[in-house]
Amino acid sequence: MPITALAIGLTTVTTFTVAAVLRWVLRDLGWAAAIALGAAVAPTDPVAAISILKRLDAPVRIVTIIEGENLVNDAVVLTAFVLAVEALTTHFTIGHGIERLAVVVAGGVAYGLAAGFIASRLRRRIPRQRRSPSDARSWTFPRRRAC
């Protein structure tokens, strides 16, 4: 629940708050463009926070929540950004947006289940002495590369 509340709740609030402020400041800016800009600046990068928490020997649960929140956070803002850009470039309805959101969520769940299943199968093949808790994470989640 904490990951969902942080990732979906706060990210959505941040996206729409930034969009509302942009619309207030730039009165000619449409909602779709304002939401796209809000989605572009809404996600945070928790690398520094996680590094500090690990150095302070913070509970593993807190670090895990922040890492998980970051993954879902990115998915939420990417979806909002894509929907906002679609609204700028094509005929867009709320029904279309809900349909696209459902497809993205279903795809994300399917990907997560498949990756988890494969990671658990691979992990069983590694002798217990050679396993590390980060193994499953590194198999499941693609690494981000700096541009």
Side-chain angles (χ1 to χ4, degrees), residues 66-129:
I66 291 173
E67 288 173 336
E69 182 267 341
N70 186 51
L71 293 171
V72 178
N73 187 7
D74 289 349
V76 169
V77 295
L78 284 173
T79 303
F81 183 80
V82 167
L83 290 175
V85 170
E86 278 187 28
L88 281 169
T89 59
T90 64
H91 177 68
F92 188 83
T93 64
I94 297 297
H96 173 74
I98 291 169
E99 179 185 324
R100 293 278 292 140
L101 182 62
V103 167
V104 168
V105 169
V109 169
Y111 171 79
L113 290 172
F117 177 77
I118 291 168
S120 69
R121 297 290 181 194
L122 289 172
R123 191 170 164 100
R124 287 184 191 156
R125 295 179 184 269
I126 298 173
R128 193 173 288 284
Q129 302 88 329

Side-chain angles (χ1 to χ4, degrees), residues 12 20 32 49 53 119 138:
T12 303
L53 288 172
S138 63

